Amino acid sequence: MRVYQATARNFAEATENRIHSDEVAAQFGFAGALVAGAAVFGHMTRPLVEALGTDWLANWTADVRFLKPAYHGDSLTIHHEAACGEHTVRCHARGVLLAELTSTRDETAESEPATIGAGAAIDERPEILWDNVVVNEPFPAWTWSPDAIANAESAAQVEDDLDCYRSGVIHPNAILGTANHAFTRRYILPAWIHVGSTVRFHRLLRVDDAIEVRTVPTRKWQRKGHEFVSLDIAYLVDGAVAAEIRHVSIFRVRSDRAPA
């Protein structure tokens, strides 16, 4: 078992999602502003890339579940274990398990780009409501072109100094953070919570790639007063799928939830 230490930082405080502010997070029973799940994921990928190299970002699948919130300043303890071709990473803070990630080498064939279409343009973003989340209706496609400065910032946010990111490989913090942007480009989301993602890497994503982002909601449901949505997101480079993400969020949080 390998153990990695890090400190959680809230770099999302100024974003539209007010769950990353102390005041709004407290209204939902949290002890403080939530650190973005993409950042927690970014911390958890450090031992995987250290052990497996950039092949992990080109040929592996990662399934991450966020079980408890990370708060600004939390001391994170990240355990990495490998057995029988499967890697497991667990993130603890404050004596509790915050997140768990399992990863296996992806042996499946690359998906066809046509699996997610490009939706029609919209005039303006509506505030998200149960009735305006339409399952199987694609969002407008858009292009993400990360540069070296933005990539360095994503790596720095999670204290990651591995050489590959200085050489132009896009950091996982940015890869999962852009999945959040795919959601927020379509709707106004006053307060929402990312609860998990499954990421399939088909090739390395690099700085200055022109990455077409396609998104479609595949399911919505209600549980314990929360409203959930699952988005399928594809990143295409030169018409080929480079990564796929199944991104699950609570888009409307029950207002009387118990403290976490």
XYZ file of all heavy atoms in Angstrom, residues 135-201:
527
model
N -34.236 13.872 -20.685
C -33.388 12.710 -20.910
C -33.275 12.428 -22.408
O -34.273 12.518 -23.151
C -33.955 11.486 -20.154
C -33.222 10.207 -20.543
C -33.870 11.717 -18.657
N -32.044 12.150 -22.843
C -31.700 11.817 -24.239
C -31.750 13.012 -25.185
O -31.659 12.827 -26.405
C -32.580 10.680 -24.781
C -32.362 9.388 -24.028
O -31.253 9.094 -23.577
N -33.417 8.591 -23.876
N -31.867 14.220 -24.651
C -31.803 15.420 -25.493
C -30.413 16.041 -25.353
O -30.085 16.613 -24.311
C -32.870 16.424 -25.090
C -32.896 17.660 -25.977
C -34.028 18.608 -25.597
O -35.187 18.269 -25.912
O -33.753 19.657 -24.958
N -29.564 15.953 -26.382
C -28.179 16.428 -26.257
C -28.087 17.922 -26.010
O -28.921 18.701 -26.457
C -27.545 16.067 -27.603
C -28.442 15.023 -28.194
C -29.819 15.360 -27.698
N -27.043 18.323 -25.297
C -26.723 19.733 -25.111
C -26.003 20.244 -26.365
O -25.441 19.456 -27.133
C -25.780 19.921 -23.923
C -26.344 19.547 -22.579
C -25.524 19.627 -21.459
C -27.654 19.116 -22.411
C -26.004 19.298 -20.200
C -28.150 18.776 -21.168
C -27.315 18.864 -20.047
N -25.964 21.554 -26.582
C -25.126 22.089 -27.652
C -23.665 21.679 -27.453
O -23.146 21.700 -26.324
C -25.295 23.603 -27.510
C -26.592 23.782 -26.782
C -26.703 22.619 -25.852
N -23.015 21.282 -28.528
C -21.599 20.939 -28.455
C -20.762 22.212 -28.365
O -21.186 23.286 -28.798
C -21.193 20.114 -29.664
N -19.573 22.089 -27.801
C -18.665 23.230 -27.721
C -17.227 22.717 -27.721
O -16.979 21.509 -27.599
C -18.938 24.079 -26.483
C -18.887 23.340 -25.169
C -19.814 22.462 -24.689
C -17.854 23.398 -24.184
N -19.428 21.971 -23.460
C -18.233 22.537 -23.118
C -16.662 24.103 -24.073
C -17.439 22.349 -21.984
C -15.875 23.936 -22.938
C -16.269 23.065 -21.903
N -16.284 23.613 -27.909
C -14.882 23.224 -28.021
C -14.080 23.757 -26.850
O -14.150 24.949 -26.524
C -14.275 23.735 -29.345
O -15.006 23.158 -30.434
C -12.813 23.306 -29.464
N -13.337 22.875 -26.237
C -12.439 23.198 -25.121
C -11.008 23.127 -25.646
O -10.598 22.092 -26.160
C -12.669 22.197 -23.992
C -11.699 22.266 -22.830
C -11.176 23.376 -22.271
C -11.160 21.147 -22.105
N -10.334 23.037 -21.221
C -10.332 21.678 -21.105
C -11.330 19.767 -22.197
C -9.632 20.852 -20.198
C -10.652 18.946 -21.306
C -9.811 19.488 -20.319
N -10.264 24.216 -25.506
C -8.878 24.265 -25.976
C -7.980 24.707 -24.831
O -7.615 25.890 -24.719
C -8.744 25.228 -27.162
O -9.527 24.790 -28.245
N -7.626 23.803 -23.928
C -6.823 24.177 -22.761
C -5.410 24.591 -23.157
O -4.808 24.005 -24.058
C -6.803 22.889 -21.925
C -7.043 21.793 -22.910
C -7.922 22.369 -23.975
N -4.909 25.611 -22.476
C -3.544 26.043 -22.732
C -2.643 25.659 -21.557
O -3.098 25.136 -20.541
C -3.476 27.542 -23.019
C -3.965 28.416 -21.875
O -3.952 27.960 -20.703
O -4.360 29.565 -22.136
N -1.351 25.914 -21.717
C -0.371 25.488 -20.718
C -0.581 26.193 -19.380
O -0.385 25.590 -18.319
C 1.040 25.748 -21.241
N -0.998 27.451 -19.409
C -1.203 28.194 -18.160
C -2.355 27.598 -17.372
O -2.246 27.337 -16.167
C -1.431 29.688 -18.454
C -0.169 30.317 -19.036
C -1.866 30.421 -17.185
C -0.345 31.748 -19.502
N -3.476 27.354 -18.043
C -4.632 26.765 -17.360
C -4.302 25.371 -16.836
O -4.726 24.992 -15.730
C -5.817 26.712 -18.313
N -3.539 24.610 -17.608
C -3.178 23.260 -17.175
C -2.271 23.303 -15.945
O -2.436 22.512 -15.006
C -2.487 22.513 -18.314
C -2.442 21.019 -18.068
O -3.452 20.408 -17.704
N -1.283 20.426 -18.261
N -1.339 24.235 -15.933
C -0.458 24.381 -14.769
C -1.255 24.771 -13.532
O -0.973 24.297 -12.422
C 0.623 25.419 -15.061
N -2.255 25.625 -13.700
C -3.097 26.009 -12.573
C -3.874 24.811 -12.038
O -3.992 24.626 -10.819
C -4.064 27.112 -12.995
C -3.392 28.458 -13.236
C -4.352 29.509 -13.759
O -5.512 29.142 -14.085
O -3.956 30.675 -13.852
N -4.392 23.967 -12.930
C -5.128 22.778 -12.495
C -4.234 21.837 -11.708
O -4.657 21.277 -10.682
C -5.710 22.046 -13.711
O -6.713 22.819 -14.328
N -2.997 21.653 -12.154
C -2.062 20.797 -11.429
C -1.689 21.406 -10.077
O -1.638 20.716 -9.060
C -0.815 20.551 -12.272
N -1.457 22.719 -10.060
C -1.072 23.392 -8.817
C -2.181 23.346 -7.777
O -1.916 23.266 -6.573
C -0.674 24.835 -9.109
N -3.432 23.405 -8.217
C -4.555 23.361 -7.277
C -4.558 22.088 -6.444
O -5.053 22.081 -5.316
C -5.880 23.496 -8.033
C -6.159 24.897 -8.537
C -7.397 24.960 -9.409
O -8.026 23.931 -9.697
N -7.753 26.150 -9.846
N -4.007 21.005 -7.002
C -3.983 19.735 -6.276
C -2.550 19.310 -5.950
O -2.253 18.133 -5.739
C -4.731 18.630 -7.055
C -6.215 18.965 -7.124
C -4.180 18.423 -8.453
N -1.651 20.289 -5.930
C -0.270 20.092 -5.472
C 0.448 19.004 -6.260
O 1.247 18.235 -5.715
C -0.258 19.745 -3.975
C -0.985 20.742 -3.093
C -1.141 20.266 -1.653
O -0.675 19.167 -1.319
O -1.749 21.005 -0.861
N 0.168 18.929 -7.566
C 0.716 17.853 -8.386
C 1.846 18.384 -9.253
O 1.619 19.206 -10.145
C -0.398 17.254 -9.253
C -0.040 15.884 -9.799
O 1.162 15.570 -9.898
O -0.973 15.121 -10.129
N 3.060 17.899 -8.999
C 4.222 18.389 -9.736
C 4.823 17.333 -10.663
O 5.994 17.417 -11.045
C 5.290 18.893 -8.759
C 5.771 17.796 -7.795
O 5.236 16.669 -7.852
O 6.668 18.087 -6.979
N 4.050 16.321 -11.052
C 4.574 15.306 -11.955
C 4.969 15.934 -13.291
O 4.295 16.828 -13.807
C 3.540 14.204 -12.177
C 3.234 13.320 -10.962
C 2.170 12.284 -11.315
C 4.495 12.621 -10.455
N 6.060 15.446 -13.852
C 6.624 16.052 -15.065
C 5.675 16.009 -16.254
O 5.721 16.908 -17.110
C 7.922 15.329 -15.442
C 9.076 15.651 -14.502
O 8.994 16.681 -13.802
O 10.041 14.873 -14.475
N 4.838 14.980 -16.339
C 4.010 14.838 -17.546
C 3.097 16.032 -17.754
O 2.795 16.388 -18.898
C 3.204 13.542 -17.488
S 2.038 13.410 -16.117
N 2.663 16.683 -16.669
C 1.748 17.815 -16.819
C 2.494 19.067 -17.283
O 1.926 19.903 -17.982
C 0.989 18.054 -15.521
C 0.241 16.809 -15.082
C 0.488 16.212 -13.846
C -0.673 16.194 -15.927
C -0.172 15.056 -13.464
C -1.339 15.038 -15.553
C -1.081 14.468 -14.318
O -1.716 13.318 -13.963
N 3.760 19.156 -16.930
C 4.569 20.256 -17.457
C 4.910 20.027 -18.931
O 5.268 20.962 -19.642
C 5.845 20.417 -16.634
C 5.601 20.954 -15.227
C 6.903 21.407 -14.579
N 7.765 20.288 -14.273
C 7.769 19.643 -13.104
N 6.936 20.016 -12.135
N 8.597 18.640 -12.898
N 4.788 18.772 -19.361
C 5.092 18.419 -20.756
C 3.859 18.450 -21.647
O 3.940 18.041 -22.808
C 5.728 17.022 -20.801
O 6.918 16.987 -20.036
N 2.720 18.889 -21.096
C 1.565 19.111 -21.940
C 0.417 18.135 -21.798
O -0.621 18.311 -22.456
N 0.555 17.112 -20.943
C -0.574 16.219 -20.699
C -1.583 16.945 -19.807
O -1.208 17.562 -18.803
C -0.096 14.913 -20.023
C -1.280 14.035 -19.634
C 0.857 14.159 -20.953
N -2.862 16.883 -20.161
C -3.878 17.606 -19.394
C -4.145 16.897 -18.075
O -4.294 15.677 -18.020
C -5.171 17.751 -20.209
C -4.900 18.574 -21.470
C -6.265 18.418 -19.377
C -6.092 18.729 -22.372
N -4.211 17.685 -17.004
C -4.371 17.124 -15.671
C -5.792 16.601 -15.457
O -6.770 17.200 -15.928
C -4.045 18.178 -14.606
C -3.786 17.574 -13.274
N -4.805 17.183 -12.417
C -2.623 17.232 -12.658
C -4.283 16.642 -11.337
N -2.960 16.665 -11.456
N -5.947 15.488 -14.727
C -7.293 14.954 -14.442
C -8.217 15.932 -13.719
O -9.442 15.859 -13.884
C -7.007 13.726 -13.574
C -5.621 13.325 -13.932
C -4.883 14.589 -14.250
N -7.663 16.832 -12.914
C -8.484 17.867 -12.277
C -9.200 18.691 -13.345
O -10.394 18.994 -13.235
C -7.592 18.755 -11.408
C -8.340 19.897 -10.734
O -9.539 19.850 -10.530
N -7.602 20.940 -10.371
N -8.491 19.035 -14.419
C -9.095 19.800 -15.517
C -10.064 18.944 -16.319
O -11.114 19.427 -16.769
C -8.007 20.356 -16.425
N -9.728 17.673 -16.508
C -10.593 16.792 -17.299
C -11.956 16.642 -16.631
O -13.005 16.759 -17.281
C -9.913 15.424 -17.498
C -8.696 15.573 -18.416
C -10.902 14.402 -18.064
C -7.827 14.338 -18.517
N -11.968 16.407 -15.314
C -13.253 16.249 -14.634
C -13.920 17.599 -14.381
O -15.150 17.708 -14.416
C -13.064 15.485 -13.322
C -14.278 14.659 -12.883
C -14.696 13.679 -13.960
C -13.987 13.920 -11.591
N -13.120 18.637 -14.166
C -13.682 19.976 -13.997
C -14.401 20.449 -15.244
O -15.427 21.147 -15.163
N -13.904 20.076 -16.415
C -14.561 20.467 -17.655
C -15.894 19.743 -17.828
O -16.826 20.281 -18.440
C -13.623 20.212 -18.846
O -12.458 21.042 -18.674
C -14.276 20.546 -20.181
N -16.018 18.544 -17.268
C -17.321 17.871 -17.260
C -18.337 18.699 -16.467
O -19.515 18.779 -16.833
C -17.194 16.471 -16.677
N -17.891 19.334 -15.384
C -18.770 20.266 -14.663
C -19.180 21.428 -15.562
O -20.343 21.855 -15.569
C -18.067 20.813 -13.424
C -17.885 19.781 -12.331
O -18.630 18.804 -12.254
N -16.892 19.995 -11.490
N -18.236 21.962 -16.328
C -18.543 23.085 -17.224
C -19.563 22.672 -18.286
O -20.394 23.494 -18.707
C -17.275 23.595 -17.903
C -16.274 24.198 -16.967
N -16.642 24.923 -15.860
C -14.915 24.188 -16.975
C -15.549 25.329 -15.218
N -14.500 24.897 -15.870
N -19.508 21.417 -18.723
C -20.486 20.954 -19.698
C -21.906 21.091 -19.145
O -22.853 21.389 -19.884
C -20.206 19.494 -20.064
N -22.046 20.895 -17.841
C -23.340 21.019 -17.169
C -23.728 22.488 -17.010
O -24.841 22.908 -17.329
C -23.235 20.331 -15.820
C -24.540 19.962 -15.165
C -25.737 19.943 -15.863
C -24.566 19.602 -13.823
C -26.931 19.586 -15.245
C -25.749 19.243 -13.200
C -26.931 19.235 -13.907
N -22.785 23.297 -16.535
C -23.106 24.687 -16.219
C -23.213 25.577 -17.458
O -23.750 26.680 -17.382
C -22.081 25.278 -15.247
O -20.767 25.218 -15.829
C -22.076 24.510 -13.930
N -22.707 25.121 -18.591
C -22.929 25.864 -19.842
C -24.373 25.725 -20.321
O -24.850 26.543 -21.106
C -21.986 25.355 -20.939
C -20.546 25.818 -20.795
C -19.692 25.168 -21.863
N -20.095 25.570 -23.188
C -19.561 26.600 -23.877
N -18.596 27.332 -23.327
N -19.986 26.888 -25.089
N -25.058 24.683 -19.852
C -26.425 24.425 -20.312
C -27.483 25.021 -19.381
O -28.545 25.462 -19.821
C -26.623 22.901 -20.437
C -28.042 22.477 -20.850
C -28.406 23.004 -22.216
N -29.752 22.599 -22.623
C -30.876 23.211 -22.269
N -30.822 24.282 -21.465
N -32.044 22.784 -22.690
N -27.194 25.022 -18.063
C -28.165 25.484 -17.076
C -27.517 26.431 -16.076
O -26.316 26.348 -15.800
C -28.729 24.302 -16.270
C -29.499 23.292 -17.060
C -28.929 22.070 -17.393
C -30.814 23.535 -17.464
C -29.641 21.111 -18.110
C -31.535 22.592 -18.179
C -30.938 21.383 -18.500
O -31.648 20.441 -19.217
N -28.333 27.291 -15.489
C -27.952 27.997 -14.275
C -28.209 27.041 -13.112
O -29.323 26.532 -12.960
C -28.768 29.292 -14.103
C -28.485 30.258 -15.258
C -28.468 29.955 -12.759
C -29.424 31.453 -15.309
N -27.168 26.792 -12.324
C -27.260 25.839 -11.217
C -26.822 26.550 -9.939
O -25.629 26.635 -9.640
C -26.374 24.621 -11.474
C -26.828 23.732 -12.626
C -25.750 23.602 -13.678
C -27.195 22.356 -12.093
N -27.761 27.058 -9.161
C -27.387 27.865 -7.992
C -26.592 27.099 -6.932
O -25.682 27.654 -6.323
C -28.737 28.331 -7.442
C -29.677 28.249 -8.603
C -29.217 27.066 -9.385
N -26.944 25.835 -6.678
C -26.230 25.038 -5.680
C -26.423 23.568 -6.037
O -27.539 23.064 -6.030
C -26.740 25.312 -4.269
N -25.319 22.886 -6.371
C -25.414 21.495 -6.780
C -24.176 20.746 -6.316
O -23.163 21.348 -5.958
C -25.611 21.374 -8.289
C -24.484 21.922 -9.119
C -24.202 23.235 -9.363
C -23.502 21.163 -9.814
N -23.098 23.347 -10.172
C -22.656 22.087 -10.469
C -23.250 19.796 -9.967
C -21.575 21.690 -11.251
C -22.185 19.398 -10.746
C -21.358 20.341 -11.372
N -24.270 19.409 -6.298
C -23.210 18.583 -5.727
C -22.857 17.458 -6.692
O -23.722 16.671 -7.096
C -23.639 17.987 -4.368
C -23.986 19.096 -3.372
C -22.529 17.099 -3.803
C -24.568 18.577 -2.060
N -21.603 17.370 -7.049
C -21.069 16.283 -7.871
C -20.869 15.069 -6.950
O -20.149 15.157 -5.956
C -19.745 16.762 -8.469
C -18.999 15.749 -9.260
N -17.657 15.916 -9.546
C -19.362 14.581 -9.823
C -17.239 14.899 -10.254
N -18.259 14.064 -10.445
N -21.498 13.942 -7.279
C -21.433 12.791 -6.376
C -20.626 11.622 -6.926
O -20.303 10.690 -6.175
C -22.840 12.304 -5.972
C -23.566 13.394 -5.203
C -23.663 11.858 -7.177
N -20.286 11.643 -8.207
C -19.468 10.550 -8.728
C -19.320 10.619 -10.229
O -20.111 11.271 -10.925
N -18.296 9.933 -10.740
C -18.052 9.885 -12.180
C -17.356 8.579 -12.543
O -16.580 8.027 -11.755
C -17.158 11.044 -12.646
O -17.805 12.284 -12.524
N -17.635 8.126 -13.747
C -16.863 7.046 -14.352
C -16.202 7.613 -15.604
O -16.879 8.170 -16.474
C -17.754 5.856 -14.727
O -18.398 5.361 -13.550
C -16.929 4.736 -15.353
N -14.876 7.511 -15.659
C -14.103 8.081 -16.754
C -13.419 6.958 -17.518
O -12.736 6.118 -16.924
C -13.034 9.071 -16.239
C -12.331 9.761 -17.412
C -13.642 10.101 -15.297
N -13.619 6.928 -18.817
C -12.908 5.984 -19.693
C -11.958 6.780 -20.576
O -12.390 7.613 -21.368
C -13.888 5.193 -20.559
C -14.746 4.196 -19.812
C -15.742 3.534 -20.757
N -15.063 2.815 -21.820
C -15.625 2.510 -22.991
N -16.870 2.887 -23.248
N -14.954 1.837 -23.898
N -10.660 6.522 -20.410
C -9.653 7.201 -21.219
C -9.326 6.342 -22.440
O -9.008 5.150 -22.305
C -8.368 7.412 -20.412
C -8.513 8.327 -19.231
C -8.428 7.831 -17.935
C -8.718 9.690 -19.395
C -8.544 8.667 -16.834
C -8.838 10.532 -18.309
C -8.747 10.017 -17.025
